[in-house]
Amino acid sequence: MITVILVVHLLIAAAMVGVVLLQRSEGGALGMGGGGGGGGFLTGRGTANLLTRTTAILAACFFATSIALSLLSGRGGAPTSVFGSPTTTAPATGGVLDSLKQGDNQRLPSVPQSK
């Protein structure tokens, strides 16, 4: 389920980038040649309205899929840590730190002494 929503989310994001790039910064219409000349379906003002509405719809879908993904990701169960599970511990015996805690100097590595 999360994978499907994530794919839809990415497609919406790519479509929104494309629609925003088609718009002119002045709000005139398509930056790639359309918008001039006589009346038709995609006149200058009609194209601007179409792209603005498309951007708004895509933005609403983007927010909806973002919220859905965040809600679904929280349903994973118990919270997990980036650093590992709290049940994973070091072995209880045999380490250098354990030797230091017990005061057992026989198991410590030898350190060269300065003269």
Side-chain angles (χ1 to χ4, degrees):
M1 181 72 176
I2 291 178
T3 306
V4 173
I5 295 175
L6 183 62
V7 169
V8 170
H9 185 73
L10 292 174
L11 290 174
I12 290 171
M16 192 162 45
V17 167
V19 170
V20 168
L21 288 176
L22 284 175
Q23 295 178 6
R24 278 189 156 167
S25 61
E26 297 89 28
L30 287 173
M32 304 170 122
F41 175 65
L42 291 177
T43 60
R45 182 170 288 180
T47 304
N49 289 337
L50 176 69
L51 290 175
T52 303
R53 288 182 185 168
T54 305
T55 303
I57 291 170
L58 287 173
C61 293
F62 183 81
F63 282 119
T65 55
S66 296
I67 291 171
L69 283 171
S70 65
L71 290 176
L72 289 175
S73 69
R75 293 186 180 187
T80 58
S81 173
V82 176
F83 301 111
S85 63
T87 58
T88 305
T89 58
T93 60
V96 175
L97 293 177
D98 291 330
S99 299
L100 288 173
K101 287 179 185 177
Q102 295 173 359
D104 184 17
N105 293 332
Q106 297 171 354
R107 298 190 65 208
L108 293 176
S110 61
V111 179
Q113 301 293 325
S114 62
K115 294 183 182 183

